[in-house]
């Protein structure tokens, strides 16, 4: 669990199954597979109403995909990357009807992207059930060039797009699903402290 | 204080919409434009019935484009203690009233992808304003309007003219009823539902929504709750050092105001939370009627919403 007293920091309450939902639309990444397995347990009824999108991320060797598929979700989409998963999720959200409940689990950057896609489709973020699993890696937006980086575990980090050394702040944007990265050596160019791995 | 900034108004037009509903057009005495309001808002109207002050909330139907007037619609209720009766029998064009600034406890959710508006009877007043706002914004919406019979549908003509086939009518006398199994399925994700009408209708629609898997965040209602009266009791306002009697036909808030103490309020209908008051002690059972406090708060006996709730007992001591 991530802890922070920063207001903009999202809170993940855990995946709890909404029994009233007609359809469970579940987006899972990496270790998030375990949260899905635990939350939905072996209630075949719930799995029979589930559309499950999964991308293994760094957890590929553990082969959670097989364990998920074994529970026989109504529809199972395995994606090689987050990007392809998000494209499919957006297409599903476009045609989804009320009674569909959205769930997101995995690393924080992934949850954030799923929540942002839900919000774009008029879903209230309070009604999206989320659980953080896996590393504390952050999705960061460079405030200078506006480029995004996934899976950032260190701060400062060099912006992959414009090369500016960035301090990863605790400031989170729900709309962008990213933390803010701001130039760390603006006052004193070249004076960059050593990178520390803080979001493991 | 109490209900916030007040606006003195003059009644410029009274229209008998149906046998039991009148529409009133209210213009500010100051001549300055009335503030724009967001659809779903209400104002509290203060009436002066020969020295007796009556205050009732009424939803705003619309505002003249130049801000020169608001309209409200009032149903005459049977066994009225005064408010709706006074509006119907005494208020004429040219008369003065006082209203509060608009307050919205029933707003449209701007991020919604579609909006289902459900109205029963006089509950159509906020729905009317919401439909117009949604039309202005070109947002997708449907209106489901239930009434006893066509003659009692105070807003049918205006709604039909503005919204065409987005309006669906349900007439009790023709055995037509709003049914959740018809209106809820196949609505796109991100749809919000808003219902205002009789208590039974609100409960049925909300229950249907929950059972259809709609999250609480997408289900919205407004109840035209009024204080019901009950057995008389005494109230002690500890800080003010005042003891007052709450008559059987009076709400706690009304009795407190009559005793000269201005307690805060916004809705006078148990919904906004503004009148929440700490109970110091009481020698009976609190009779909670509001929809604001949680069940635990009701059970704790430490808080009371003085606009609608009362005491079943002899004496209530409040931190006021
Ligand atoms: C946010 C909000 C918006 C509203 N908008 C509108 C609107 O747009 N149009 C509209 O017409 N109304 C609206 N109302 C309702 C309105 O404020 C009044 O409650 C309504 O006009 C009745 O007022 P009254 O003074 O005539 O009746 P009250 O005397 O207050 O009586 C209200 C109800 O209680 C019953 N009652 C009265 N005395 C007792 C008693 N001693 N024991 C048991 N029952 C009793 C009456 O039979 C009646 O059904 C709204 C209410 C709220 C909270
Ligand atoms: S005034 Fe709104 S709850 Fe009492």
């Amino acid at each position: 669990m991530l802890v922070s007293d920063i207001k903009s920091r999202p809170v993940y309450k855990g995946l709890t199954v909404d029994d009233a939902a007609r359809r469970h639309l579940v987006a899972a990444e990496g270790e998030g597979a375990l949260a899905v397995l635990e939350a939905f347990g072996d209630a075949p009824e719930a799995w029979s109403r589930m559309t499950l999108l999964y991308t293994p991320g760094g957890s590929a060797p553990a082969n959670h995909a097989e364990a998920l598929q074994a529970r026989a979700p109504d529809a199972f989409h395995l994606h090689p990357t987050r990007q392809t998963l998000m494209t499919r999720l957006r297409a599903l959200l476009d045609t989804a009807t009320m009674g569909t409940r959205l769930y997101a689990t995995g690393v924080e950057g992934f949850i954030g992207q799923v929540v942002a896609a839900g919000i774009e489709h008029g879903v209230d973020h309070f009604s999206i059930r989320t659980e953080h699993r896996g590393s504390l890696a952050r999705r960061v937006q460079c405030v200078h060039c506006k480029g995004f980086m996934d899976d950032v575990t260190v701060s400062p980090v060099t912006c992959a797009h414009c090369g500016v050394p960035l301090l990863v702040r605790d400031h989170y944007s729900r709309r962008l699903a990213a933390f803010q990265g701001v130039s760390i050596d603006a006052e004193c160019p070249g004076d960059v402290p050593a990178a520390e791995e803080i979001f493991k | 204080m109490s209900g916030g900034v007040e606006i003195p108004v003059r009644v410029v037009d009274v229209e008998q919409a149906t046998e039991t509903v009148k529409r009133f057009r209210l213009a500010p005495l100051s001549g300055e434009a009335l503030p724009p309001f967001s659809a779903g808002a209400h104002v509290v109207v203060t009436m002066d019935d020969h020295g007796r002050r009556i205050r009732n909330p009424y939803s705003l139907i619309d505002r003249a484009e130049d801000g020169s007037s608001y309209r409200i619609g009032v149903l005459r209720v049977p066994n009225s203690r005064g408010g709706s009766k006074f509006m119907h029998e005494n208020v004429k064009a040219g008369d003065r009233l006082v209203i509060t600034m608009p307050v919205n406890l029933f707003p449209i959710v701007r991020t919604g992808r579609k909006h289902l508006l459900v109205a029963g009877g006089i509950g159509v007043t906020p729905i009317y304003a919401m439909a117009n706002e949604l039309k202005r914004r070109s947002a997708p919406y449907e209106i489901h309007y239930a009434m006893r019979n066509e003659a009692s549908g105070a807003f049918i003509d205006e709604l039909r003219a503005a919204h065409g086939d987005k309006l669906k009518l349900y007439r009790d006398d023709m055995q037509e009823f709003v049914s959740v199994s018809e209106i809820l399925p196949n609505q796109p994700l991100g749809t919000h539902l808003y219902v205002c009408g009789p208590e039974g209708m609100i409960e049925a629609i909300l229950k249907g929504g929950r059972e259809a898997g709609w999250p609480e965040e997408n289900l919205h209602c407004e109840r035209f709750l009024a204080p019901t009266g009950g057995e008389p009791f005494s109230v002690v306002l500890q800080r003010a050092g005042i003891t007052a009697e709450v008559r059987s036909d009076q709400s706690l808030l009304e009795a407190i105001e009559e005793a000269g103490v201005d307690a805060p309020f916004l809705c006078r209908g148990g919904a906004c939370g503004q009148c929440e008051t700490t109970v110091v002690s009481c020698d009976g059972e609190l009779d909670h009627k509001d929809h604001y406090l949680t069940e635990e708060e009701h059970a704790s006996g430490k808080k009371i919403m003085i606009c609608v709730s009362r005491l079943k007992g002899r004496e209530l001591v409040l931190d006021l």
Side-chain angles (χ1 to χ4, degrees), chain B residues 42 54 56-59 73-75 77-85 105 122 125-126 222-230 248-249 267-269:
Chain B
H42 70 267
I54 307 174
N56 278 352
Y58 291 105
S59 303
V74 179
L75 170 75
V77 303
N79 317 318
S80 167
R81 288 176 305 134
S84 66
K85 183 164 173 251
L105 301 174
I122 192 63
T125 47
E222 180 147 274
R223 296 179 168 88
F224 285 178
L225 195 65
T228 52
S248 63
D249 65 343
C267 74
R268 300 178 86 92

Side-chain angles (χ1 to χ4, degrees), chain B:
Chain B
M1 172 64 237
S2 52
V5 180
E6 299 203 308
I7 310 171
V9 293
R10 188 184 303 285
V11 178
V12 289
D13 188 29
V14 182
E15 180 197 352
Q16 186 85 43
T18 69
E19 235 169 72
T20 51
V21 176
K22 279 189 175 180
R23 282 190 283 249
F24 300 84
R25 189 175 286 284
L26 313 174
L29 286 187
S30 70
E32 280 167 42
L34 289 164
F37 68 91
S38 58
H42 70 267
V43 294
V44 174
V45 177
T46 303
M47 302 157 238
D48 181 359
D49 185 3
H50 304 98
R52 188 180 144 228
R53 198 166 53 170
I54 307 174
R55 281 177 165 158
N56 278 352
Y58 291 105
S59 303
L60 293 172
I61 303 169
D62 55 20
R63 170 181 180 266
E65 233 159 74
D66 58 2
S68 61
S69 65
Y70 286 149
R71 279 198 306 162
I72 57 170
V74 179
L75 170 75
R76 182 177 175 148
V77 303
N79 317 318
S80 167
R81 288 176 305 134
S84 66
K85 183 164 173 251
F86 182 84
M87 290 297 291
H88 273 257
E89 291 181 0
N90 297 56
V91 177
K92 311 262 174 316
D95 287 357
R96 286 178 181 206
L97 293 168
V98 174
I99 62 174
T100 57
M101 289 283 280
V103 170
N104 199 346
L105 301 174
F106 195 37
I108 293 171
V109 177
R110 290 178 188 276
T111 53
R113 274 207 297 179
K114 184 174 173 183
H115 308 268
L116 293 191
L117 308 176
V118 183
I122 192 63
V124 71
T125 47
I127 297 293
Y128 181 97
M130 292 159 109
N132 284 342
E133 184 167 322
L134 290 166
K135 182 179 179 188
R136 260 198 310 278
R137 284 207 255 137
S138 312
Y141 62 97
E142 295 171 12
I143 312 165
H144 300 273
Y145 178 18
M147 68 216 70
R148 218 164 272 145
N149 49 49
E150 186 123 3
S152 71
F155 291 81
I156 297 177
D157 295 340
E158 289 193 17
L159 283 172
R160 202 180 263 143
H163 306 287
D165 61 5
K166 287 198 168 70
L167 172 70
K168 193 156 177 344
L169 301 182
Y170 303 82
R171 288 149 287 214
D172 287 0
D173 67 337
M174 295 176 74
Q175 262 67 43
E176 299 167 336
F177 303 102
V178 184
S179 136
V180 282
S181 59
E182 273 168 35
I183 67 171
L184 297 184
N186 303 317
Q187 295 296 351
L189 190 65
T191 302
H192 285 258
L193 179 146
Y194 311 81
V195 54
C196 184
E199 184 66 21
M201 173 187 201
I202 293 178
E203 288 310 323
I205 300 276
L206 294 182
K207 180 162 170 279
R210 290 185 196 111
E211 283 170 2
W214 289 47
E216 284 304 324
E217 289 82 11
N218 295 59
L219 299 170
H220 315 274
C221 70
E222 180 147 274
R223 296 179 168 88
F224 285 178
L225 195 65
T228 52
E231 291 299 310
F233 59 96
S234 309
V235 60
V236 179
L237 309 179
Q238 201 172 54
R239 277 190 275 144
I242 291 175
T243 302
E245 291 306 308
V246 184
R247 297 190 309 265
S248 63
D249 65 343
Q250 226 179 3
S251 72
L252 191 43
L253 175 58
E254 287 163 355
I256 290 168
E257 288 172 341
E258 206 176 86
V261 175
D262 261 348
F265 67 84
L266 284 178
C267 74
R268 300 178 86 92
C272 72
Q274 190 73 12
C275 71
E276 179 177 318
T277 304
T278 301
V279 174
V280 178
S281 68
C282 69
D283 68 355
E285 193 193 328
L286 297 176
D287 187 9
H288 294 292
K289 300 260 168 60
D290 65 280
H291 290 272
Y292 180 80
L293 296 173
T294 62
E295 266 173 49
E296 294 85 75
E297 285 171 317
H298 282 164
S300 80
K302 294 201 179 102
K303 300 228 145 94
I304 187 166
M305 309 310 292
I306 56 176
C307 62
V308 290
S309 303
R310 345 176 28 98
L311 176 75
K312 278 183 184 155
R314 210 172 39 83
E315 189 181 84
L316 173 66
V317 184
L318 295 177
D319 182 25
L320 260 182

Side-chain angles (χ1 to χ4, degrees), chain A residues 82-83 86 90 107-114 116 136-142 146-153 168-169 171-181 199:
Chain A
R82 263 199 231 177
Q83 282 68 27
M86 288 307 302
R90 287 210 173 80
V107 293
E108 201 169 21
F110 174 78
I111 297 177
Q113 280 177 286
V114 173
L136 298 181
R138 291 180 168 188
R139 185 168 130 92
V140 176
Q141 185 190 37
C142 168
K146 306 295 177 194
F148 290 98
M149 284 179 288
D150 282 323
D151 296 322
V152 173
T153 56
V168 179
R169 296 189 51 211
H171 184 96
Y172 182 79
S173 157
R174 192 171 276 127
R175 190 176 56 81
L176 302 170
F179 286 89
Q180 216 177 47
F199 318 119

